[in-house]
Amino acid sequence: MNTLVQNFDLEDYENFINDGQFAGRNLSDFVSEVQRIYCSDKRPWVIGFSGGKDSTATMALIYIALLGLKPEDRTKPIFVISSDTLVETPVVVDMITGTLDAIAKGAERDNLPISTHLVTPKTSDTFWVNLLGKGYPAPTRQFRWCTERMKIDPVSQFIKETVAEYDEVIIVLGSRSAESSSRAQVIAKHKMDGSRLARHTTLSNAFVYTPIETWDVNDVWALLRGGYKYSDFIDEWESPWGTSNLPLWTLYMHSSNQGECPLVIDESTPSCGNSRFGCWTCTVVTKDKAMEALIENGEEWMLPLLRFRDLLAMTSEPVNKEKYRNYKRRDGRVIYQRAKNENELANERDIILGPYWLKYRKKWLEELLTIEKQLNDSGHTITLITEPELHAIRQQWFADPNEPDWEDSLPTIYQRVYGKDLKWSENDRARFDAEDAKLLEQLGDEFDVAPALIKKLIELELSMEGLSRRSNVFNKIGTLLKQDWGSLEQIQAKHSQVQAKHEFDLHKKTIEQYEEAIREVDGLLKRAQEPELI
């Protein structure tokens, strides 16, 4: 039984909220504000819960406020959502899921209208399907492809579905102005005049409420520690739903107070990238100081994860890019960087590199599965990559636009690591195997045709098999033929020929005009030289 509820006394509660000073005000002011806004309309609340100190303090404040309401006044639904990108720092995601479960059980016990929801990205949008499957390079500040797919979209979809059911919603966040100047600007920018609410930047009919925006970090820890006792029966660090906040404090101490990764609801919300708790695979930062600190403070088992993350980060260093990435983009073409001025037009321009080579993706998948197996064999319960992701990666390798995997390598890799098979779909198998691929390599060399082009043409023909209307097949063949095939040297030589012809074509009209003018002058000269007839 939650000791807060078991021994809850309104007088003790009032003493607690009147004695505590937060941001220069009594805690009772903040509790009353939460109660007033909650009871002012029928719009449901969606609380963004990241599991860090700020969102946990916000959740505790709201939980306390609801306990202070009469049962007939606390009927409006509150949805607590947390985003699991499937590559969250393991110790953090374990804490988040445990806290969500405790909140749900506490709400049911205390008869509060709170439900918890853990949202995840679509399988096609996960980190590993994009990096290992499609070959996307590790995220950087210039190409941060992960945030929208893995964080914004799952949360936005949940909010949109809630809006569709209730017309409007209020999103409650644990953002604080003191956390950073950028957060302060975001909070202030979207505030509605005369209201504690702000308009959501992208979701219509959604409003944002930030109840602890004026608090500093000491206020946050004061509430989480329970230093202002609302009952003599409450243990230090006990949360309103009955669990201890001490592990959260310990986590922050062991990670050098790196802070939490906020629940990202749109592009205006500050994302991770400054060593906050977040994805263990994050390569946007130069070094993951939070994970390094956790390892130094007793979580040595996470060292293989840090090394794997560092490996991915290394591939984005300028000196390494050409080694790990294809010279063709995923559309099959070699693309050059745009010239910024006339001087650069005359120089050889760098190509814009494409996805990771398939051979490295295969190698990294095997290393990832090996780490996962070793961690579980040593007593940890951890999933680094899910089974649906493995199936999706297999499909991406089959259909790779540049290097179709006719060998069907993924089941072999999995068998090599785990010594067993998953339930691979036979219908998903490639139509050809390694022997077929080797034969095409030989034929390609013999007839000077890129083997990859032959593979894609055969796959196209088979994909159209059985269709009564094949009118679009020639367009698709044309698209394939327009792609760049062969080695980089062969492609560049071809481009040079095309460029020379293009430059000739640009001046062809002028040349023709000069030639016509010369012919006219020549005719005039000839007529001038003819003898006059008398």
Side-chain angles (χ1 to χ4, degrees), residues 260-397:
E260 73 206 73
C261 187
L263 186 81
V264 181
I265 61 172
D266 57 34
E267 293 182 352
S268 70
T269 308
S271 182
C272 299
N274 56 350
S275 291
R276 295 178 177 275
F277 292 132
C279 303
W280 69 266
T281 57
C282 183
T283 52
V284 175
V285 292
T286 305
K287 297 179 68 176
D288 191 333
K289 296 179 181 178
M291 188 151 65
E292 288 178 353
L294 287 171
I295 292 170
E296 290 175 1
N297 285 278
E299 302 289 349
E300 294 92 350
W301 65 274
M302 291 176 58
L303 185 58
L305 302 184
L306 180 63
R307 289 172 176 166
F308 194 87
R309 175 261 168 210
D310 290 344
L311 166 67
L312 296 181
M314 177 270 297
T315 66
S316 292
E317 295 175 2
V319 295
N320 298 321
K321 287 182 179 180
E322 290 189 11
K323 173 183 177 181
Y324 292 100
R325 290 170 61 181
N326 199 323
Y327 48 81
K328 293 195 293 184
R329 306 298 296 272
R330 279 182 56 82
D331 61 3
R333 297 185 301 155
V334 173
I335 304 296
Y336 296 88
Q337 292 183 357
R338 291 182 178 179
K340 298 178 182 178
N341 52 55
E342 292 183 1
N343 293 332
E344 289 189 2
L345 283 172
N347 299 328
E348 183 177 345
R349 283 173 282 158
D350 294 333
I351 62 173
I352 301 175
L353 295 170
Y356 287 127
W357 291 106
L358 184 59
K359 65 179 181 179
Y360 291 114
R361 288 182 264 160
K362 292 179 181 179
K363 178 182 177 183
W364 296 336
L365 174 62
E366 184 161 354
E367 291 179 8
L368 182 69
L369 289 171
T370 300
I371 293 171
E372 180 185 79
K373 183 177 186 300
Q374 290 174 346
L375 289 177
N376 283 287
D377 288 347
S378 63
H380 298 278
T381 303
I382 189 170
T383 300
L384 297 182
I385 185 168
T386 65
E387 186 173 330
E389 288 178 293
L390 292 172
H391 289 287
I393 291 170
R394 185 187 182 209
Q395 289 304 307
Q396 287 294 334
W397 288 2

Side-chain angles (χ1 to χ4, degrees), residues 520-532:
E520 290 180 4
V521 172
D522 188 50
L524 290 173
L525 289 174
K526 287 181 178 179
R527 286 195 294 272
Q529 294 173 358
E530 291 176 355
E532 293 185 6

Side-chain angles (χ1 to χ4, degrees), residues 51 85 127 163 165 293 404 448 480:
T85 62
F127 185 84
V163 169
E165 183 177 356
D448 194 24
L480 285 175

Side-chain angles (χ1 to χ4, degrees), residues 241-254:
W241 44 88
T243 57
S244 175
N245 291 319
L246 185 57
L248 182 62
W249 167 268
T250 303
L251 182 65
Y252 274 85
M253 292 301 97
H254 285 179

Side-chain angles (χ1 to χ4, degrees), residues 332-525:
R333 297 185 301 155
V334 173
I335 304 296
Y336 296 88
Q337 292 183 357
R338 291 182 178 179
K340 298 178 182 178
N341 52 55
E342 292 183 1
N343 293 332
E344 289 189 2
L345 283 172
N347 299 328
E348 183 177 345
R349 283 173 282 158
D350 294 333
I351 62 173
I352 301 175
L353 295 170
Y356 287 127
W357 291 106
L358 184 59
K359 65 179 181 179
Y360 291 114
R361 288 182 264 160
K362 292 179 181 179
K363 178 182 177 183
W364 296 336
L365 174 62
E366 184 161 354
E367 291 179 8
L368 182 69
L369 289 171
T370 300
I371 293 171
E372 180 185 79
K373 183 177 186 300
Q374 290 174 346
L375 289 177
N376 283 287
D377 288 347
S378 63
H380 298 278
T381 303
I382 189 170
T383 300
L384 297 182
I385 185 168
T386 65
E387 186 173 330
E389 288 178 293
L390 292 172
H391 289 287
I393 291 170
R394 185 187 182 209
Q395 289 304 307
Q396 287 294 334
W397 288 2
F398 284 160
D400 191 273
N402 298 316
E403 304 176 274
D405 182 29
W406 282 13
E407 297 180 3
D408 193 13
S409 307
L410 199 147
T412 303
I413 293 172
Y414 190 88
Q415 166 65 232
R416 194 156 55 230
V417 174
Y418 274 100
K420 62 179 181 180
D421 290 320
L422 295 178
K423 293 182 180 179
W424 307 110
S425 173
E426 290 298 321
N427 293 331
D428 290 342
R429 289 186 61 84
R431 297 181 185 234
F432 303 96
D433 55 24
E435 289 300 319
D436 296 322
K438 188 180 296 183
L439 176 60
L440 285 185
E441 293 282 348
Q442 296 171 355
L443 291 173
D445 292 339
E446 182 178 348
F447 293 97
D448 194 24
V449 178
L453 172 59
I454 305 175
K455 288 181 180 180
K456 300 306 288 188
L457 288 170
I458 293 175
E459 288 178 350
L460 174 60
E461 169 61 24
L462 291 173
S463 70
M464 306 294 287
E465 187 178 28
L467 296 181
S468 58
R469 298 182 62 185
R470 296 163 58 89
S471 58
N472 200 33
V473 67
F474 294 106
N475 292 331
K476 294 186 176 182
I477 291 175
T479 299
L480 285 175
L481 294 177
K482 288 178 183 177
Q483 295 178 13
D484 294 314
W485 301 100
S487 67
L488 179 58
E489 291 75 16
Q490 292 171 328
I491 294 171
Q492 288 177 325
K494 178 182 175 183
H495 285 188
S496 297
Q497 294 172 0
V498 173
Q499 180 65 23
K501 182 178 183 302
H502 176 64
E503 291 174 354
F504 174 80
D505 290 342
L506 286 176
H507 302 292
K508 187 176 182 180
K509 187 175 182 179
T510 303
I511 293 172
E512 289 175 347
Q513 290 174 344
Y514 282 128
E515 289 176 342
E516 180 62 27
I518 292 171
R519 283 193 292 269
E520 290 180 4
V521 172
D522 188 50
L524 290 173
L525 289 174

